[in-house]
Amino acid sequence: RRLIALDFDCTIMRKHMWATYGDTAVEAIPSDREDAFVDLASFQGFVQQAKDAGHIVAIATFGRRDVADKAMRFAIGNDHAMRISTPADHPDPRHWPKPAEQAPAAV
């Protein structure tokens, strides 16, 4: 059993969705159209074969989880069960608040 992590922008999708759409409302982002994918049929086939073989397929993106989820729901189905990893899942300790900036601990 293996974990297969696929890049979202410019790999699964034709465009770099984050660079193109940024903070646009998810409803206005066309990640749920066949022509938004590099090759939708090949992607669907790959995911199905990988899952049938017992592997886990995940998506990695520096963009937005909601945009990637919308695309996976379109491509794989509402119950795609694919983990979508974004920078929000991996906070950088260099950007954590300094202790003096944090709220005081509850007593």
Side-chain angles (χ1 to χ4, degrees):
R1 186 172 183 189
R2 299 187 188 266
L3 169 64
I4 302 166
L6 301 172
D7 180 55
F8 183 67
D9 296 301
C10 294
T11 303
I12 296 170
M13 307 305 282
R14 286 189 187 279
K15 294 182 178 181
H16 194 288
M17 303 302 275
W18 172 243
T20 303
Y21 298 103
D23 290 324
T24 301
V26 71
E27 298 80 17
I29 299 174
S31 61
D32 58 348
R33 294 189 350 210
E34 183 173 352
D35 64 346
F37 290 78
V38 170
D39 186 335
L40 180 59
S42 293
F43 175 69
Q44 290 168 322
F46 176 82
V47 169
Q48 188 59 55
Q49 287 183 6
K51 287 183 172 186
D52 289 349
H55 302 306
I56 299 167
V57 181
I59 304 298
T61 181
F62 281 105
R64 292 169 42 192
R65 183 183 328 277
D66 59 345
V67 174
D69 181 65
K70 181 179 176 181
M72 294 307 101
R73 288 177 185 276
F74 175 77
I76 309 301
N78 285 334
D79 58 346
H80 63 77
M82 294 174 69
R83 172 91 158 99
I84 300 169
S85 179
T86 73
D89 299 320
H90 312 281
D92 184 342
R94 294 174 296 175
H95 300 287
W96 290 349
K98 295 176 180 67
E101 298 170 351
Q102 294 177 359
V107 178

